[in-house]
Amino acid sequence: MTRIAALALSVCLTVPCLASGLPRSSPEDQGIPPSAILEFVERAERRIDALHSVMVVRHGHVVAEGWWAPYDPGTPHELYSLSKSFTSTAVGLAVAEGKLSVDDRVIDFFPDEAPDEPGANLAAMRVSDLLRMSTGHESEPSLRAADDWAEAFLAHPVPFKPGTHFLYNTAATYMLSAIVQRATGETVLDYLRPRLFEPLGIDDPRWGTSPQGVTLGGYGLSVRTEDIAKFGQLYLNHGRWEGEQVVPESWVGAATARQTSNGSNPGSDWDQGYGYQFWRSRHGAYRGDGAFGQYCIVLPEQKAVIAITSGVKDMQAVLDLVWEMLLPAMGPSPLPPAEDDRAALEARLAGLTLAPPEGPGSNATAERVSGTTFEFPDNPRGIESVTLRPEGEGTTLAFRVDGEERRISCGHGSWREGRLAFERFPEQPAAAAGAWTGDETFTARICFDETPFVASLRLEFSGEGLLLDSEANVGFGPTGHPRLVGSPAGGSAP
């Protein structure tokens, strides 16, 4: 069965799906008109490029869920900084077990890594300062190039008194992970397995580590969309899950409360205060979130949780759409059945897909250049050549990178799934689609569907040469690459 077929079977708005851990319900039974959710999806497609999944939970029941193919319900998605809220949970559990206190000094956990004569501000920094992003730093410590990440953090200047200056600081979350490991003897991932992941039925969570073998903490966790929703429901339930107190209620309250001020713009969901690795939001909500639009939104007043994964540049736009379309639709009582609207919503959710390139699968240029190898001068990306060939109902691009062949098999009008090594990135799950978007231009999109990233390649066969442009949908820096200009191997015209 393909993942797209599995997606169609997974959409169950009215039939309970007990094996997943969260029961299903119709939107109407939980006080939400299906038309409001449908309009949310439609507006997301018009305004936002692009959501990858959405799951709406009300009163503990999933009332709507959908994945934009090639994303699907069974594949984990990288969470980026949404990972921080899970690390906070590990700290709370360790505090409850008496392994540490939020009032403990940070340097006391790292006697070998701390400076011989720590400054007064560093010496005063406590676990609570790490949790609320008030370490006293003026700039975030850079850890990746360091030989020892904890040592690099502790060597970074601390010009402000801890607790007085908010600075979003992923390195601080790494230190929380390292502290949990020092205090418990286990990585945060291993520590959370029996205490959080297994009770919630979160299977096979993946989380990277530093060179020192410490769970990254501030990023790097990958789980499924429903796992995000379960985590939010746990917090909405004040730490209880299926009758058991999985996380102390006192920790849930402290972690999601406003622990520090971080701005004054009433229209920004990033200026509403910060808790213990959770953001306060407008409308009485709170959330964990991660780069490029990974969200676990908890609305206590509405008894709702919204889980979203995406690859977006404007994260505020996603929250604005939630407040605009979903929040006001959550009524206090069940609604009469709306079969036609619900059927329309089910059909729309089952057919969601990221748009593949539009155009014919072949044309005169395709026939002219098929099988011709175009070579490129030396370039920082190591791309030596590319050859385009028809393949069934699609097209294969054969790249040669640093002496190795890398094949991209593109479906036409649909996503072709598999694994590929792209440029100098290692082999990983991906799906690709392509089309002739102009008389001389072939465009391919490559979706790395365990991540937010979608790459676009544009091959323009201009005259006897080839112009290659590429760009990613999102990134932490520039998303485009300089154009490469290729020519037929041996100098002969195709």
Side-chain angles (χ1 to χ4, degrees), residues 324-396:
E324 177 186 350
M325 295 306 307
L326 297 182
L327 177 65
M330 296 180 182
S333 305
L335 301 172
E339 287 88 353
D340 290 347
D341 287 346
R342 191 182 336 123
L345 173 60
E346 291 177 3
R348 190 72 182 89
L349 291 172
L352 294 173
T353 182
L354 297 186
E358 294 185 359
S362 185
N363 62 11
T365 301
E367 296 176 3
R368 176 174 66 87
V369 303
S370 177
T372 300
T373 297
F374 291 83
E375 297 179 333
F376 301 101
D378 289 345
N379 58 83
R381 297 155 66 188
I383 299 177
E384 298 169 1
S385 67
V386 64
T387 308
L388 180 149
R389 292 187 178 90
E391 183 182 79
E393 296 299 317
T395 301
T396 293

Side-chain angles (χ1 to χ4, degrees), residues 3-4 68-71 353-358 389 391 393-399 406-422 428-435 442-450 453-457 459:
R3 283 201 278 172
I4 295 175
W68 279 256
Y71 294 92
T353 182
L354 297 186
E358 294 185 359
R389 292 187 178 90
E391 183 182 79
E393 296 299 317
T395 301
T396 293
L397 301 176
F399 283 85
R406 306 285 178 88
R407 295 173 64 85
I408 302 173
S409 182
C410 302
H412 177 240
S414 63
W415 295 93
R416 185 170 293 174
E417 301 167 16
R419 296 179 61 88
L420 63 86
F422 180 66
Q428 58 188 294
F442 182 83
T443 300
R445 295 189 78 194
I446 307 162
C447 176
F448 299 93
D449 49 2
E450 292 187 355
F453 299 111
V454 179
S456 295
L457 304 178
L459 288 76

Side-chain angles (χ1 to χ4, degrees), residues 87-112:
T87 300
S88 169
T89 305
V91 174
L93 291 167
V95 168
E97 293 177 1
K99 302 292 187 180
L100 60 92
S101 164
V102 298
D103 295 324
D104 289 341
R105 297 195 314 162
V106 173
I107 61 172
D108 290 341
F109 291 95
F110 305 96
D112 296 331

Side-chain angles (χ1 to χ4, degrees), residues 218-231:
Y219 60 100
L221 176 62
S222 292
V223 297
R224 299 165 183 84
T225 306
E226 186 157 355
D227 299 331
I228 300 171
K230 291 177 182 179
F231 182 67

Side-chain angles (χ1 to χ4, degrees), residues 127-468:
V127 172
S128 61
D129 298 316
L130 300 175
L131 284 163
R132 58 188 174 172
M133 299 293 190
S134 296
T135 56
H137 289 123
E138 185 174 20
S139 62
E140 181 177 355
S142 178
L143 305 184
R144 287 203 171 201
D147 293 331
D148 186 297
W149 287 18
E151 183 177 331
F153 179 94
L154 297 170
H156 198 72
V158 187
F160 304 108
K161 181 179 179 180
T164 64
H165 181 80
F166 177 84
L167 176 71
Y168 191 72
N169 192 334
T170 295
T173 316
Y174 172 79
M175 294 300 286
L176 290 171
S177 177
I179 286 170
V180 169
Q181 187 163 330
R182 293 288 174 102
T184 68
E186 297 180 279
T187 66
V188 161
L189 177 59
D190 289 338
Y191 183 70
L192 286 179
R193 285 187 196 278
R195 295 168 175 84
L196 178 72
F197 294 130
E198 291 175 6
L200 269 59
I202 297 177
D203 299 324
D204 191 30
R206 307 173 191 174
W207 210 334
T209 60
S210 71
Q212 290 74 47
V214 177
T215 298
L216 294 171
Y219 60 100
L221 176 62
S222 292
V223 297
R224 299 165 183 84
T225 306
E226 186 157 355
D227 299 331
I228 300 171
K230 291 177 182 179
F231 182 67
Q233 188 64 38
L234 173 71
Y235 269 76
L236 181 63
N237 291 344
H238 307 288
R240 293 185 67 81
W241 187 263
E242 296 182 346
E244 299 293 330
Q245 194 71 44
V246 174
V247 177
E249 183 174 3
S250 59
W251 184 262
V252 172
T256 61
R258 181 185 177 114
Q259 294 288 347
T260 188
S261 176
N262 61 351
S264 60
N265 181 357
S268 170
D269 281 286
W270 279 264
D271 278 19
Q272 305 307 308
Y274 195 76
Y276 288 166
Q277 308 287 293
F278 285 84
W279 295 91
R280 293 295 307 175
S281 298
R282 293 179 291 167
H283 308 291
Y286 61 85
R287 72 190 191 281
D289 71 33
F292 315 124
Q294 325 316 317
Y295 300 94
C296 179
I297 306 166
V298 181
L299 298 94
E301 296 174 13
Q302 290 75 26
K303 296 181 172 56
V305 174
I306 300 169
I308 292 173
T309 61
S310 54
V312 301
K313 296 176 181 177
D314 185 354
M315 292 180 62
Q316 183 65 63
V318 178
L319 293 173
D320 288 344
L321 192 58
V322 169
W323 308 142
E324 177 186 350
M325 295 306 307
L326 297 182
L327 177 65
M330 296 180 182
S333 305
L335 301 172
E339 287 88 353
D340 290 347
D341 287 346
R342 191 182 336 123
L345 173 60
E346 291 177 3
R348 190 72 182 89
L349 291 172
L352 294 173
T353 182
L354 297 186
E358 294 185 359
S362 185
N363 62 11
T365 301
E367 296 176 3
R368 176 174 66 87
V369 303
S370 177
T372 300
T373 297
F374 291 83
E375 297 179 333
F376 301 101
D378 289 345
N379 58 83
R381 297 155 66 188
I383 299 177
E384 298 169 1
S385 67
V386 64
T387 308
L388 180 149
R389 292 187 178 90
E391 183 182 79
E393 296 299 317
T395 301
T396 293
L397 301 176
F399 283 85
R400 192 160 188 82
V401 182
D402 294 333
E404 296 184 1
E405 186 173 277
R406 306 285 178 88
R407 295 173 64 85
I408 302 173
S409 182
C410 302
H412 177 240
S414 63
W415 295 93
R416 185 170 293 174
E417 301 167 16
R419 296 179 61 88
L420 63 86
F422 180 66
E423 297 188 8
R424 286 173 168 165
F425 294 99
E427 183 179 273
Q428 58 188 294
W436 287 89
T437 54
D439 290 342
E440 297 181 328
T441 302
F442 182 83
T443 300
R445 295 189 78 194
I446 307 162
C447 176
F448 299 93
D449 49 2
E450 292 187 355
T451 81
F453 299 111
V454 179
S456 295
L457 304 178
R458 184 175 179 271
L459 288 76
E460 182 181 348
F461 297 90
S462 177
E464 296 183 0
L466 169 61
L467 307 179
L468 174 62

